[in-house]
Amino acid sequence: MLDDRAKTLLKALVERYIADGQPVGSRTLSRASGLDLSPATIRNVMADLEELGLIASPHTSAGRVPTARGYRLFVDTMLTARPIELQTVASELAAAREQLHPDQPQRVIAQAATLLSNLSSFVGVVSAPRKASVIHHIEFLRLGERRVLVILVAPDGDVQNRVIFTARDHSQTELVEATNFLNAHYTGLGIDEVRERLKHEVDALRGEIAQLMQAAVEAGEELAERGDDVVVSGEHNLLSVQDLGHDMLGLRRLFDVFEQKTELMRLLDVSSRAEGVRIYIGGESQVVPFEELSVVTAPYEIDGRIVGTLGVIGPTRMPYDRMIRLVDITARLVGNALSMR
């Protein structure tokens, strides 16, 4: 627990360090905090904050810098991000709205990542909308002994194919019969709903139809998962960040994360389950391999349903209030653009 004086000094120190990027000394902190305290008193409070692990002293300076724990306390208890309505966004964001083309969802996602990167000067990341796993039409075609091609058609016309291996060989006549039965009883349902119905109806279905339907559900789930993707923009911006340039090994690990995207997808997926903006500081995300990096994310919606997540990856010394507003506004812009389709 910190008293009001310690909180004021910590807040001033974090804000000054974010603004200047230089360790903050007691004299500078006295002016920045507005408190009428002697340098000795401020040094004593700073020593207490350092003992609590909220600030640290670089070897080459008498000043102090915030730690990841200090940033966490600052973000959770001292930061006030003013909400901004879409009508009052800056001209650059307003112009970006005109560039988001709802008839080209992939272009919307790419432009949103670029927008986040350009306006933050860091890295913009956006997960593509998850495809609704709804079966509009299904068809089975015999390819050979115990090999069947499953054709899944989504409501938007997207066609996915997958080869499955069945427990026994099926004639094309049997596959046509299964196709007709499944289209009559299961089209228009989501994959999750189909799976639940199969649990209760499997005994009533003929064995080959149940097996084929189960294989189709597994194919649909797998294809839906593959449909998720992450667009990353502005990775090169991190090369010029003062706090990161000394750790080239860490940067290489980070660029591997950007290239492979699997871990980023996991982070964005976790973020999509929470409401509003989330902030991961230092190693809290367990994805970004840098204590000096933070991630600010927010989910975006299409017609009231969360379908993806976007965010900014940058140094812990980032202007959090501005990043929160930027991420929040961009999430709403993307959701609005995609909902207009």
Side-chain angles (χ1 to χ4, degrees), residues 84-97:
I84 297 181
E85 296 302 321
L86 288 178
Q87 292 82 359
T88 62
V89 297
S91 58
E92 53 196 359
L93 278 172
R97 294 179 65 185

Side-chain angles (χ1 to χ4, degrees), residues 282-328:
E284 289 178 345
S285 70
Q286 299 181 346
V287 169
V288 177
F290 251 120
E291 286 296 321
E292 295 87 356
L293 280 179
S294 290
V295 185
V296 182
T297 67
Y300 64 89
E301 302 178 350
I302 296 179
D303 300 325
R305 183 173 63 90
I306 292 177
V307 296
T309 313
L310 53 77
V312 168
I313 299 175
T316 50
R317 191 179 66 83
M318 67 164 66
Y320 288 97
D321 55 345
R322 183 169 182 271
M323 293 302 107
I324 290 171
R325 296 197 300 271
L326 172 60
V327 168
D328 181 44

